[in-house]
Every structure is written in structure tokens, then in C-alpha cells.
Amino acid sequence: VVSSVKLNGIIFDKDTKESLAGAVITVNGQKIYSDLDGKFDISNVAGKFQLKVSMISYEEKTFEIDPSNTSSVKIELNQR
């Protein structure tokens, strides 16, 4: 039995270190948006999954996340 876990994270600009509000986080076809502080929460994820982060004027990034050993992520985006 694989238990579902919760993942949280923050998205910020790699150069300025400012948090990015309104970034789109896509997990298993589900879209979540970062809040005003650049933070997001994903619940009910089980097993390894792809996490895609995109935002206007930034390079898109895709990660493979293994929630069994990761419960929090910090994601830096590069401006285009």
C-alpha cells in the first residue's frame, strides 16, 4: 500500500531571490498556482511524479519528485 503524502514548496527568481506569485505548477495534469509568497501545497501524491513549473517570461522547469524522501522543495526559475 502506497500512502499519499503532502508536498510543499516555494518558487523564486534565481537572480533576485524574490518569490514568484502566480507560477503554474502542474502535477499529473492537475494545475496549482503559487500564492502571493510564491508558496504552494500539493496533497494526495503517491509514488514518484513529474512536477512542471512554468511562468510567463521564465524558463519552464520539470522535476521528478520522490515524495518518500522529499516533503519540501525550493525551485529557482531563470528569466528568459
Side-chain angles (χ1 to χ4, degrees), residues 4-76:
S4 66
V5 293
K6 196 169 183 173
L7 175 81
N8 63 49
I10 184 166
I11 299 169
F12 57 96
D13 183 295
K14 185 173 182 172
D15 297 325
T16 67
K17 305 298 184 206
E18 285 184 35
S19 58
L20 298 173
V24 181
I25 300 100
T26 308
V27 176
N28 299 335
Q30 177 186 5
K31 286 188 177 178
I32 301 155
Y33 297 90
S34 61
D35 68 13
L36 292 174
D37 298 318
K39 296 178 182 172
F40 64 93
D41 288 305
I42 300 168
S43 52
N44 299 325
V45 286
K48 290 182 183 174
F49 61 92
Q50 295 281 321
L51 178 99
K52 186 169 81 174
V53 181
S54 57
M55 187 162 179
I56 294 169
S57 79
Y58 285 86
E59 293 175 7
E60 190 175 274
K61 279 193 173 180
T62 303
F63 303 91
E64 181 163 291
I65 303 288
D66 183 352
S68 65
N69 60 23
T70 304
S71 62
S72 182
V73 292
K74 290 183 177 178
I75 299 170
E76 297 178 325

